């Protein structure tokens, strides 16, 4: 949250050993974070990103989830 994002976006209560990638609309990796323990919160800054569509890709040992993120300053 929030979506659309202005300055940053936060994912709360992330499971342990999860990797989260922020991708541009063309699929280029913009940022990568890793949750070390269950319940972690991860925040990505969107201040230096241009307005538009991005993807958040969450990868665990058993699943991959992709969600749309809109950046709008």
């Amino acid at each position: 949250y929030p979506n659309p994002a202005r300055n940053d976006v936060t994912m709360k209560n992330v499971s342990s050993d999860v990797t989260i990638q922020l991708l541009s609309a063309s699929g280029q990796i913009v940022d990568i974070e890793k949750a070390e323990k269950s319940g972690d919160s991860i925040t990505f800054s969107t201040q230096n990103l241009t307005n538009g569509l991005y993807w958040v890709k969450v990868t665990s040992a058993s699943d991959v989830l992709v969600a749309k993120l809109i950046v709008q300053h």
Side-chain angles (χ1 to χ4, degrees), residues 31-57:
D31 200 355
I32 299 174
E33 297 289 338
K34 184 169 174 93
E36 298 296 326
K37 61 184 190 284
S38 212
D40 277 356
S41 292
I42 294 178
T43 300
F44 290 99
S45 174
T46 59
Q47 292 180 16
N48 295 325
L49 300 178
T50 58
N51 289 345
L53 172 68
Y54 293 83
W55 299 100
V56 178
K57 181 179 180 182

Side-chain angles (χ1 to χ4, degrees), residues 2-59:
N3 195 4
R6 291 182 192 250
N7 297 317
D8 56 40
V9 62
T10 300
M11 298 184 69
K12 290 190 173 192
N13 297 319
V14 178
S15 299
S16 62
D17 296 324
V18 168
T19 301
I20 301 172
Q21 296 177 325
L22 183 59
L23 307 163
S24 68
S26 63
Q28 292 180 320
I29 296 173
V30 176
D31 200 355
I32 299 174
E33 297 289 338
K34 184 169 174 93
E36 298 296 326
K37 61 184 190 284
S38 212
D40 277 356
S41 292
I42 294 178
T43 300
F44 290 99
S45 174
T46 59
Q47 292 180 16
N48 295 325
L49 300 178
T50 58
N51 289 345
L53 172 68
Y54 293 83
W55 299 100
V56 178
K57 181 179 180 182
V58 181
T59 306

